[in-house]
Each structure stands twice: as C-alpha cells, then as structure tokens.
Amino acid sequence: MNILFLRPWQSGLPVALLLALSLPAGAQSTEPTTQKSAPAADSGTAKVPFAGLDLTWVNGQNRQRDFPLQFKDAAGETVLTGTVLLDSYFNYNFARPLDHTQTISATTGRAQEFSLNLASAGIETTYKNVIGRLWVQTGSMLHVVQETDGSVLRGRNTGTGNLKFIREAAAGYHFNKAYGLNVELGIFMSYIGLESYVMQENWSYQRSLVCDFTPFYFQGARVQFYPSRRLKTELWLMNGWQTYNSFNRRPAVGQSTYFRPSENLQVAANFYYGNDSRPAPDSAAIGARAYPNVVRFHHDHSVVARYYHKPRTGSLRGITQAAFSLNNHYGFQSGDGLRARDNFMLGSSLAHRLWFAQNTLAFTTRVGFVKNPSRYLSFSPSAVGFTDADASRLTAKEATLTLDFMPSDFVTFRAEYLHRSANVPYFAGPGGTTSPSGYADQPLPAGWQPDLRTYENRAIFSLNVRL
C-alpha cells in the first residue's frame, strides 16, 4: 500500500486525576497524560506507577498541572474526569499553492486559510477499578487522517462514518497486581512514535516526518502491566496498521515499554508486526490464495531527557528548563518478492527545547530526516498525476523553529517556521496538486501534472485551548 495510514488518537485525559483514585486521602501524584498508554488506576493501594514524578515537560505529554473538570460522588471520590480541547491554526505556505492544499502533512491540511484543526471533548473513569473512556472529535485533521483507510473497502458493514468522530473509546478493568494490570478493548491512541496527535502536547506544531508517517490509532485489545513504579510494558492485538478493519487474515501484534528512572529521563521502545497488504484489484486468485504474504515490521525508540531545571522555589529569571528528545525509527516490508533492503523506512528526529520566564515562554529547535525507498509509508503528494516511480527513492529532511507563549496551563500561542526538502519533487508548488484551476471538480486536461518542488517553506501560527 502506498497510502499513509495515520494515528488520530494519541492524547488523553490527565493521568494525575486517574492515579489520584488510587492514592490514600491527602496523597498526590503529578503524572500527566501519557500519549501512548492509558492511565493505570490502583484503587485501594498505595502502589501508584510513576507517582511523584513531574513529567509535564516531556515532549508528547500534557503539560497541565490543574484539572478543573472533575465530578465526585458524595464521599468525595472522583467518578468522572472530563476534558475539552480546541485547536486552530493559520498555515502560510511560501509557495502559495493555487488550490490551498497543504501536502505531506497529517497536522495541517490547508494553506493560506484559517482552520479549526481539532475540537474534542471527552470523559473518562476508573471508578471501582472499571475503566471507561469516550472522547469525541471533529475538525479538519479528521479528513487528512481517516479518509485514507482502505480497509473499509473490505466487504460490507464497514466505513469511517460511524467511527470518525471518536478520538478514543475503550472499556476495561484494572487488576490490583504489582503496580497495576489493565485489560482493555476498543479504539486506542497509537503507541508508536513519540509525538502526540494533540498539538498542545508536542514541542512543535507540525509533527516530525518520522511521526507523521506512522500510525495515530489502533482498534483492538491491549494489556498494560506495571511491574514496578518506574516501568510499564504493554502487549497489543490489533486489526492492522491504523485501520478500522483488517486487510488480511491475521491480526497484528505489538509491544511497548516505558522506563522512567527519574522525572528527568524517559526511555521508550515500541514494536509492531503485521500482515497489512490487500489483494491486487485484478487478482484472479480466490480464497486464501488472494492474500499476499507480505509482513510489516516497525520499531521506534526514544530518549527524552531534561538536563537543566530550576526548582520553583528558586529564582525563575532566565532559562528555567532545558531538555532534548531523540526519536529513531526503522521498519520494513518483505515477502512475495519484496525485499526488506528495498522496502524499508529509516528516520530520526532530534529536538531541543528551552523554557524561560517561569515556563511561560519556550523555544524549540528540531531537525530530522526520513528514507522510505518504496514509499509504502510516505504520503502521496497528489491524488492524480503522481506515481510511485516519481519518488521511488524518497529521502526527505526537515528543520523547524518554534516559539511558544503559555500564559497558563490551559492556553498555548505558537509561532513556527518549517523548512523541508527532498531528493525528488515532492512538495506542492504554486500550481498546486489538484487541477489547473485548483478545484477538484474540473476535468483534467490531457498531460496535466501536479506542480511539485524539491523543497517547501512554511510559517504556522496556532492557538490551543485545553481544560
């Protein structure tokens, strides 16, 4: 498949609220939302994973310290926790594409226009060890991410219409084993990659290439286990690589591990293995013979480290925090004549962030690259007039500068400059990628080709509100 299946539910409610259910009266936990995993409640015990760690600085995490949307029972125990999120942006592409279509991005789909990127609301509970979660969503990012899911074409009783407005929905139960054991079934945020689907949680607005080219959601089941206060491991059973349904006959499997030895360091490693290819449209084979034996493997690992931190009790002038994040990816497809050496994805993203003025200002620099020779994961820059051969040896690079103003935990004003380049024409030029007029309903003249360039420059201005 040359269609990119992305991950649209990679954020959540604050783990601090959910872990609070497991603490004795008066105890506190500052663990924020973990973008790759559901929270672990531990009702009735003092064994709380990651308790006491301030992880609000971590790339891909919710930075909130205050959580106003809580609903308690008569005894004062939290029953439901709510969240509301609004995210909007103005994306200026210096190429000024005629059709205002922003390509090669699951974050921004339009250029030269104001866009409501994501509006979401949700509730979550771990009351009496019962896990329940429902977050709904709308916004322009849904179309970019979900409408490419080719698995909904397999048979009937499928489609994105009944699921596209759900960011995450899951049911499960928490067992009081070690520091927590959760068993859940539903639609989940992806565990692959570092950066979140929710822009407020990331150090940059436009996600890195390696994170944009990997999943944002899975449908299936997972088991989370916390063997100690500093360690979490997960096992996954899924329909496929960001698909609502299954392309093939076998489910996909995955594994994720997070280790946090202190609040200044997070190390993670993730794995995926699945059979995500469909039969050729003109295949004469029937039954089992119709399904190719092509397997996909993907691995990423990340290190996020804070190497400078002024305590809140000291002077908060000048630099108050400094940290970096490194996220590396490697994956391949092989089988039925495909060789891993020709069908692989290799990439990396390195970001550095400085906080100032009591953490109300932050400045992030980021560089990255990705190689995807057969383009089995990367975006197609145009729906028409573009073939795989046009970028069969794709290598792309990026550099990003981001300035954040955060007057409170609930608001982020962001300005960002992004430069990307590729070894082949891959980014939208002034002529756009839709038609000579820029409108999708115009019949295409013979020989028309999308206007593609080897580089792009963009400026993004965004406003994010989260309660």
Side-chain angles (χ1 to χ4, degrees):
M1 295 292 295
N2 290 318
I3 299 174
L4 173 64
F5 299 136
L6 297 172
R7 58 168 178 263
W9 299 308
Q10 222 173 355
S11 172
L13 296 179
V15 173
L17 296 177
L18 302 162
L19 294 180
L21 298 178
S22 65
L23 295 172
Q28 297 292 326
S29 172
T30 58
E31 164 78 355
T33 298
T34 302
Q35 63 144 341
K36 308 299 183 186
S37 66
D42 204 1
S43 300
T45 80
K47 290 186 174 182
V48 181
F50 310 125
L53 301 184
D54 175 14
L55 302 174
T56 58
W57 60 272
V58 176
N59 193 6
Q61 299 281 356
N62 182 6
R63 75 167 195 274
Q64 284 178 260
R65 297 176 184 273
D66 300 317
F67 311 101
L69 303 180
Q70 300 182 64
F71 304 90
K72 301 179 181 293
D73 62 13
E77 185 175 356
T78 301
V79 178
L80 292 174
T81 301
T83 187
V84 175
L85 172 70
L86 295 171
D87 176 61
S88 58
Y89 71 85
F90 182 87
N91 173 46
Y92 184 83
N93 188 322
F94 286 85
R96 299 181 61 85
L98 181 69
D99 54 0
H100 286 199
T101 299
Q102 178 60 55
T103 60
I104 320 304
S105 175
T107 307
T108 52
R110 302 292 291 170
Q112 275 66 23
E113 295 178 357
F114 294 95
S115 296
L116 175 63
N117 205 28
L118 182 64
S120 181
I123 56 173
E124 180 164 354
T125 183
T126 54
Y127 192 63
K128 306 297 185 184
N129 283 34
V130 174
I131 299 172
R133 192 178 311 111
L134 174 62
W135 299 323
V136 296
Q137 64 175 352
T138 188
S140 61
M141 197 156 52
L142 273 65
H143 182 83
V144 178
V145 171
Q146 293 171 288
E147 294 304 316
T148 57
D149 184 354
S151 73
V152 300
L153 301 177
R154 187 181 185 188
R156 296 181 294 174
N157 308 322
T158 64
T160 62
N162 58 331
L163 295 174
K164 65 186 300 181
F165 299 111
I166 298 176
R167 185 153 65 91
E168 179 162 347
Y173 191 79
H174 171 80
F175 296 90
N176 296 323
K177 301 296 183 181
Y179 279 79
L181 174 65
N182 299 330
V183 179
E184 299 180 72
L185 182 70
I187 297 173
F188 302 97
M189 300 166 286
S190 168
Y191 62 95
I192 296 177
L194 173 67
E195 296 172 351
S196 172
Y197 178 69
V198 173
M199 300 302 103
Q200 178 259 11
E201 300 183 349
N202 297 331
W203 290 356
S204 299
Y205 193 82
Q206 170 62 57
R207 283 182 292 267
S208 63
L209 286 163
V210 289
C211 284
D212 243 8
F213 286 4
T214 52
F216 286 106
Y217 70 95
F218 291 115
Q219 182 159 256
R222 72 177 177 190
V223 176
Q224 298 176 314
F225 181 54
Y226 298 78
S228 73
R229 191 163 68 95
R230 305 298 194 193
L231 182 65
K232 178 190 71 172
T233 186
E234 304 184 15
L235 294 176
W236 292 69
L237 189 65
M238 303 156 282
N239 285 343
W241 180 270
Q242 187 159 300
T243 60
Y244 290 122
N245 307 109
S246 174
F247 275 115
N248 219 286
R249 294 178 297 155
R250 300 187 296 272
V253 294
Q255 193 272 335
S256 176
T257 298
Y258 273 71
F259 179 52
R260 291 162 175 157
S262 74
E263 69 178 21
N264 294 318
L265 180 63
Q266 172 181 284
V267 181
N270 308 305
F271 299 87
Y272 174 91
Y273 182 86
N275 187 197
D276 300 295
S277 297
R278 57 168 288 177
D282 58 351
S283 174
I286 60 173
R289 291 174 294 164
Y291 294 96
N293 187 30
V294 177
V295 297
R296 177 178 298 175
F297 170 83
H298 196 89
H299 161 68
D300 83 275
H301 59 266
S302 60
V303 177
V304 188
R306 182 173 63 179
Y307 63 89
Y308 179 76
H309 178 220
K310 279 187 179 180
R312 288 180 170 265
T313 56
S315 172
L316 294 178
R317 294 182 180 179
I319 297 175
T320 50
Q321 294 186 114
F324 71 88
S325 71
L326 176 64
N327 186 213
N328 300 316
H329 288 244
Y330 173 72
F332 63 85
Q333 288 194 152
S334 65
D336 282 359
L338 296 180
R339 300 180 301 180
R341 67 182 184 182
D342 300 320
N343 295 267
F344 68 89
M345 186 266 216
L346 176 68
S348 184
S349 175
L350 175 65
H352 182 264
R353 185 171 176 90
L354 298 173
W355 289 260
F356 306 87
Q358 301 183 20
N359 297 333
T360 60
L361 293 174
F363 180 67
T364 301
T365 57
R366 186 185 68 195
V367 294
F369 81 97
V370 65
K371 292 176 65 69
N372 190 203
S374 65
R375 291 194 54 257
Y376 71 92
L377 285 185
S378 58
F379 288 99
S380 291
S382 176
V384 294
F386 180 85
T387 64
D388 295 340
D390 295 327
S392 59
R393 308 298 298 181
L394 176 66
T395 299
K397 302 176 182 178
E398 63 185 344
T400 305
L401 303 175
T402 306
L403 179 64
D404 288 344
F405 173 50
M406 302 165 287
S408 78
D409 284 354
F410 311 119
V411 179
T412 303
F413 296 89
R414 178 167 285 177
E416 184 165 296
Y417 177 80
L418 171 69
H419 172 77
R420 287 179 167 179
S421 62
N423 61 329
V424 293
Y426 192 54
F427 304 98
T433 57
T434 303
S435 73
S437 68
Y439 284 82
D441 60 352
Q442 178 188 3
L444 297 180
W448 181 87
Q449 292 291 317
D451 183 9
L452 298 177
R453 307 300 170 95
T454 58
Y455 69 91
E456 71 168 5
N457 295 291
R458 291 193 278 140
I460 304 172
F461 306 92
S462 67
L463 173 60
N464 182 289
V465 175
R466 180 174 187 168
L467 294 177

